Amino acid sequence: MTRLFALSAPLRRAWQPRGWTPALAWLVLAAPSTPVLLGQEPAVQQAPAATEFTIERIHGTRDFAGESFSVTWLRDGRRWAVVEQDEDGADELWVVDAVGGERDRLIVAADLVPPQADRSLDIDGREVSAQELMPAGATRSLAIDGFTFSADERRVLIFTNAQQVWRARTQGEYWVFDLSSRTLTPVSRREGWQMFAKFSPDGRQVAFVRDHDLFLTILQTGEERALTSDGSETIINGTTDWVYEEELNLRDAFRWSPDGSRIAYWRLDQSPIALYHLIDETQLYPELIPIRYPKAGAANSKVQVGSLELATGETTWFDLGDDDDIYVARMEWADSSDEVFIQWLNRHQNRLDLLVGDARTGSTSLVFTETDDAWVDVHDDMAWLADGDRFLWTSERDGWRHLYLYRRDGTLERQLTSGVWELTGVDGVDEERGLVYVTAAYESPITRTLLAVPLDGGEPRVLAGGPGSHGVQLSPDARLAIHTYSMAEMPTITTLARVGAMGLWSVRELTDNSDLRTRLADAQLGTVEFLTVPAADGTPLNAYLVKPRDFDPNRRYGLLLYVYGGPGSQTVVDRWGGSRVLWFHFLAQQGVLVASVDNRGTGARGRDFKKQTYLKLGQIETADQLAAVEHFGSLPYVDADRIGIWGWSYGGYMALNATLLSGGAIVAGASVAPVSHWQLYDTIYTERFMRTPQENPEGYAIGSPLTHAEKLESDLLIVHGTGDDNVHSQNTLLMTQALENADKQFQMRLYPNKRHGITGATTRVNLHRLLTDFLLGRLAPGADLVP
């Protein structure tokens, strides 16, 4: 017996977004004896006054950060493991019963005191002690920055991040803790950081990458041997170069075969890529930091994929065809220890071949091909069913991203989803029930709904929908889920739910962010209103508008337009927006409304909507943002003389273009880390949407802010980190040169050695004070009095 539950009345009053109707209020199916999935309204607690809602608290503290919940499910699907800190701040590993909440401490901090803790290593020319790898405040025990279990769950592989090394998110030391003997053993006793270590399927060996080579350690003996030996500054085995990591999201580039007899891996020769040098000028003599960075139209790495047989140490290379100017976007064992599936992508990225390769001979054959007149997106949605003869695949071939079921030989069994809506991710499969669980922009492009899709065909079933955004982390058997839910005006609530064939059944609340909600209530936040505005061609575009709590429709406000706008992206989604949107609420309290518009070219509205910007980035999107400026300026409560725009990265590029082309309609533009010409950006991202500058010179020129520098009639602020290895500060310097040549006045701020995110609590506060002062000085009431 089930029934539908809606939000409790107090919670609905507190968090009801505009457009909410009772028909949309249901969230999940729950048993009558279980609590509502969203929990109860939190008790009022003492909190700072609303006057203390400041930039310093938003960006310099964790007061408004909220709680997150991330775990590692154990194979039984009934328990998970999670890292927690003891009273001294040292990491420990706990196992939790999902349903009952009972907890057992699996590894205590004392277990993680490494042998030879006083030893030192010569790393990158610097002596590094094991003590430097310890967490602050801990007594010589390792920090757990990541962990995995062996397949039999008798051992735990622990990763400790090397915080001192530049770009060290994936570099550090790995240790194996044996749960039976309670012993801690380093994966390697040799010098050099390790990367991407993982157990063999039987848990008796660990493979890893060091210095661009693959290595193997036999745990019983501690014997370590190199699997490849040609790794160098130019030859990369088992991991990837800069552009593969950034644009194909591919870092860990080796895979154990299911039986543990082979390792398949990428090999990249990046010698064709020219060196780009970042400059650290904070030293007496500036240091050059070289990066192999392929700019649009330039040479890429040469890629190979091989199968290394551990018994012989020999690598068999797969046949990837005669064209060597390609990408290998994905590679996985094909539910077999003799075959791999390779996703081969041409340089234009408008053809993706799914190849099956024989690990013994290296021969390959075509399974099927995806093509598009523009580009083919690469996803991680491919999943094998238990029979090993069928797999799941997603494609936009019918105009919307949908789910397909294929046989191993490339025969399409059936299309599993269809309709005018977008699938956004595959969450898991329950073959016993014959269901695939997916997340989708099903009810609206601005919401995220959880669906159960029958493998035998038929309409999907809504498990959790309505306003807002749902997400799940499924247990291995897909019978339990960590379910997250948020709305634009409601921080994330996380619950444990049973996954039923027709819905989610609430079990217990994991976190409701009640402390954060109390602080937000005291901050006197305003509202987030969802609406549509016309594009330059009249197409309705999704938008939101942040208003202060005391909004007066008879008053005229300044307005700030926040933009990103890149291909397939979205800023307008009904979910909690964190510190960025809290800053927008802060600006609204100062008398400036904040809006964001998803222009043509953004995501969740189908292939044709997204890909109409092909070969002309910055043109259609800028026209749409300027149409939005005109629309908002026509509203009775917006002062058309006080409209500004800001954005970061692609959004910084958009803010530059819109400001330059607005003819002064945008009075203030703030651009952070912008691209100023697409030839300055990398091959994979740029050419996916623009082809090469040699093929498309007109598109590159028209879309470049450099082309339009002489049109500046507004106040402009440009911000960049000099250590940005993604969008190089070269973009800002060339923009500066163009503006100076056009005799235009503007402001610029450089952050020494800061990367693309311009991170650090002090830096983030400094940056947002800069942006706030610049924008409020031109958009807030009385701004016309500011020189």
Side-chain angles (χ1 to χ4, degrees):
M1 184 74 178
T2 61
R3 58 185 268 198
L4 294 176
F5 280 84
L7 288 170
S8 63
L11 209 95
R12 188 166 61 248
R13 287 194 298 270
W15 302 110
Q16 177 172 314
R18 294 180 183 270
W20 177 281
T21 64
L24 294 177
W26 71 277
L27 296 176
V28 295
L29 286 169
S33 60
T34 60
V36 176
L37 194 59
L38 287 182
Q40 303 300 315
E41 185 179 30
V44 176
Q45 302 179 20
Q46 190 66 35
T51 54
E52 296 180 24
F53 183 57
T54 62
I55 292 172
E56 287 74 15
R57 288 188 69 199
I58 294 170
H59 291 287
T61 73
R62 294 192 55 80
D63 288 357
F64 297 104
E67 299 175 79
S68 60
F69 199 88
S70 178
V71 303
T72 297
W73 284 98
L74 299 184
R75 63 180 177 177
D76 62 13
R78 298 293 175 266
R79 300 172 299 152
W80 61 61
V82 64
V83 177
E84 296 183 5
Q85 284 73 46
D86 67 11
E87 59 185 12
D88 296 320
D91 287 346
E92 299 182 319
L93 193 63
W94 289 76
V95 170
V96 181
D97 180 84
V99 173
E102 295 84 5
R103 297 155 43 82
D104 292 307
R105 192 160 48 183
L106 190 66
I107 301 177
V108 300
D111 292 329
L112 298 178
V113 176
Q116 299 179 326
D118 293 326
R119 80 192 192 291
S120 62
L121 301 174
D122 182 10
I123 305 296
D124 297 334
R126 184 172 71 87
E127 189 174 272
V128 178
S129 70
Q131 185 64 33
E132 290 184 74
L133 298 172
M134 309 303 172
T139 56
R140 307 180 67 79
S141 63
L142 295 171
I144 306 176
D145 295 310
F147 68 94
T148 56
F149 287 88
S150 59
D152 60 10
E153 295 182 351
R154 295 180 179 179
R155 297 184 175 99
V156 183
L157 183 62
I158 295 169
F159 172 60
T160 295
N161 193 4
Q163 301 289 348
Q164 300 82 12
V165 179
W166 186 73
R167 295 200 72 193
R169 290 171 296 173
T170 55
Q171 300 182 50
E173 286 193 337
Y174 285 86
W175 300 75
V176 173
F177 187 78
D178 189 297
L179 293 170
S180 299
S181 63
R182 312 300 295 178
T183 55
L184 182 70
T185 307
V187 166
S188 175
R189 291 178 170 84
R190 301 181 187 175
E191 295 180 354
W193 304 121
Q194 304 121 44
M195 303 171 69
F196 309 121
K198 41 187 174 281
F199 284 116
S200 60
D202 63 7
R204 297 178 180 178
Q205 303 173 92
V206 173
F208 61 93
V209 175
R210 182 177 56 225
D211 297 332
H212 293 170
D213 273 318
L214 276 165
F215 291 82
L216 180 73
T217 297
I218 300 172
L219 296 178
Q220 184 176 2
T221 63
E223 176 191 353
E224 176 183 330
R225 64 185 175 103
L227 300 178
T228 65
S229 59
D230 59 346
S232 66
E233 191 276 325
T234 55
I235 302 298
I236 304 173
N237 296 292
T239 183
T240 61
D241 64 10
W242 187 96
V243 73
Y244 265 73
E245 176 181 340
E246 180 68 25
E247 307 301 0
L248 291 176
N249 196 29
L250 186 60
R251 299 170 177 83
D252 173 0
F254 73 92
R255 311 283 185 265
W256 281 98
S257 66
D259 66 1
S261 66
R262 297 182 174 94
I263 292 177
Y265 67 100
W266 276 259
R267 180 185 185 272
L268 295 170
D269 177 358
Q270 61 175 350
S271 58
I273 302 176
L275 285 173
Y276 184 91
H277 288 92
L278 300 176
I279 305 176
D280 177 3
E281 295 190 88
T282 62
Q283 306 182 46
L284 182 61
Y285 289 92
E287 178 186 359
L288 296 179
I289 303 171
I291 302 172
R292 298 272 178 180
Y293 185 106
K295 291 185 180 279
N300 278 312
S301 293
K302 302 301 181 184
V303 61
Q304 295 174 281
V305 177
S307 169
L308 189 152
E309 188 173 15
L310 297 181
T312 64
E314 297 297 319
T315 293
T316 300
W317 300 105
F318 292 103
D319 180 5
L320 300 178
D322 296 331
D323 184 0
D324 64 356
D325 197 6
I326 61 162
Y327 305 107
V328 176
R330 296 290 184 269
M331 177 272 292
E332 299 290 344
W333 289 95
D335 202 42
S336 159
S337 293
D338 294 325
E339 293 180 320
V340 299
F341 267 17
I342 297 168
Q343 295 186 36
W344 178 101
L345 199 63
N346 67 339
R347 173 101 184 216
H348 282 157
Q349 300 173 70
N350 59 4
R351 172 175 173 164
L352 188 153
D353 287 349
L354 183 63
L355 306 175
V356 60
D358 189 318
R360 298 159 296 188
T361 66
S363 64
T364 58
S365 58
L366 180 67
V367 180
F368 62 75
T369 297
E370 289 277 359
T371 61
D372 194 287
D373 291 339
W375 72 87
V376 177
D377 285 314
V378 174
H379 299 295
D380 291 307
D381 299 328
M382 183 177 175
W384 286 96
L385 301 187
D387 58 16
D389 186 51
R390 298 182 298 168
F391 61 92
L392 298 172
W393 183 264
T394 60
S395 171
E396 291 181 321
R397 68 186 61 158
D398 75 348
W400 301 80
R401 184 181 169 197
H402 282 301
L403 187 64
Y404 296 79
L405 180 62
Y406 272 92
R407 292 206 170 273
R408 189 183 190 90
D409 62 3
T411 302
L412 176 63
E413 186 165 307
R414 68 179 58 89
Q415 183 173 346
L416 296 178
T417 63
S418 62
V420 185
W421 56 274
E422 288 262 311
L423 182 147
T424 58
V426 177
D427 300 306
V429 181
D430 184 342
E431 290 193 59
E432 184 178 336
R433 289 175 173 162
L435 296 173
V436 184
Y437 299 104
V438 304
T439 306
Y442 183 68
E443 296 160 290
S444 162
I446 71 169
T447 61
R448 294 295 182 266
T449 302
L450 299 178
L451 301 174
V453 177
L455 279 168
D456 292 337
E459 290 299 311
R461 307 164 190 168
V462 175
L463 300 184
S469 294
H470 298 268
V472 289
Q473 183 185 353
L474 292 173
S475 61
D477 60 3
R479 296 304 174 98
L480 292 173
I482 296 172
H483 170 248
T484 58
Y485 175 70
S486 74
M487 294 188 290
E489 296 179 7
M490 186 183 77
T492 302
I493 291 172
T494 307
T495 54
L496 178 71
R498 294 190 188 277
V499 183
M502 297 297 290
L504 299 181
W505 300 62
S506 172
V507 175
R508 64 188 181 96
E509 190 175 78
L510 300 174
T511 174
D512 68 352
N513 271 309
S514 57
D515 290 343
L516 171 59
R517 287 191 277 164
T518 299
R519 287 191 286 272
L520 293 175
D522 283 322
Q524 302 290 303
L525 301 189
T527 61
V528 180
E529 175 184 347
F530 290 96
L531 62 156
T532 61
V533 303
D537 68 349
T539 301
L541 302 176
N542 292 319
Y544 68 68
L545 182 63
V546 180
K547 297 178 178 178
R549 176 169 290 200
D550 60 354
F551 175 74
D552 181 356
N554 297 312
R555 176 182 168 187
R556 299 183 75 207
Y557 295 84
L559 180 134
L560 174 64
L561 199 60
Y562 164 60
V563 61
Y564 187 78
S569 67
Q570 280 184 278
T571 58
V572 184
V573 182
D574 189 7
R575 64 185 170 212
W576 181 241
S579 59
R580 177 183 292 129
V581 174
L582 288 177
W583 180 53
F584 295 166
H585 281 288
F586 173 83
L587 295 175
Q589 290 180 353
Q590 316 309 311
V592 175
L593 308 180
V594 182
S596 191
V597 178
D598 277 340
N599 47 251
R600 286 173 292 167
T602 54
R605 295 186 64 176
R607 182 255 177 222
D608 292 344
F609 185 88
K610 178 175 67 176
K611 295 183 178 179
Q612 60 189 294
T613 62
Y614 186 58
L615 299 181
K616 46 191 175 186
L617 288 187
Q619 298 180 45
I620 291 174
E621 308 100 298
T622 301
D624 284 354
Q625 294 297 326
L626 292 177
V629 169
E630 183 178 358
H631 170 80
F632 284 114
S634 70
L635 299 178
Y637 51 82
V638 174
D639 184 345
D641 293 329
R642 290 191 283 128
I643 295 179
I645 192 169
W646 95 283
W648 197 312
S649 192
Y650 198 102
Y653 160 74
M654 287 291 297
L656 266 181
N657 262 345
T659 302
L660 294 169
L661 295 172
S662 72
I666 293 173
V667 300
S671 172
V672 182
V675 172
S676 62
H677 195 292
W678 285 113
Q679 191 168 5
L680 303 175
Y681 201 54
D682 71 55
T683 49
I684 294 181
Y685 184 90
T686 306
E687 294 173 15
R688 182 184 303 155
F689 312 121
M690 293 286 282
R691 295 207 172 182
T692 67
Q694 296 84 359
E695 295 171 289
N696 183 22
E698 183 179 5
Y700 276 75
I702 296 174
S704 170
L706 299 178
T707 302
H708 310 294
E710 76 283 353
K711 300 171 185 174
L712 180 64
E713 297 181 25
S714 314
D715 288 339
L716 175 64
L717 170 66
I718 308 176
V719 179
H720 223 119
T722 65
D724 192 336
D725 65 325
N726 184 353
V727 180
H728 303 141
S729 57
Q730 172 190 42
N731 286 268
T732 283
L733 294 179
L734 290 177
M735 191 72 236
T736 296
Q737 183 182 57
L739 290 167
E740 290 173 348
N741 289 342
D743 195 22
K744 298 294 181 179
Q745 296 300 316
F746 61 98
Q747 296 182 37
M748 182 174 69
R749 170 72 61 85
L750 297 178
Y751 283 91
N753 292 339
K754 291 298 181 181
R755 295 176 60 194
H756 194 57
I758 312 183
T759 55
T762 302
T763 303
R764 274 302 175 104
V765 171
N766 185 281
L767 170 60
H768 281 85
R769 278 187 191 146
L770 170 70
L771 294 171
T772 301
D773 291 346
F774 174 79
L775 294 167
L776 290 184
R778 290 148 181 85
L779 308 181
D784 55 329
L785 302 178
V786 177

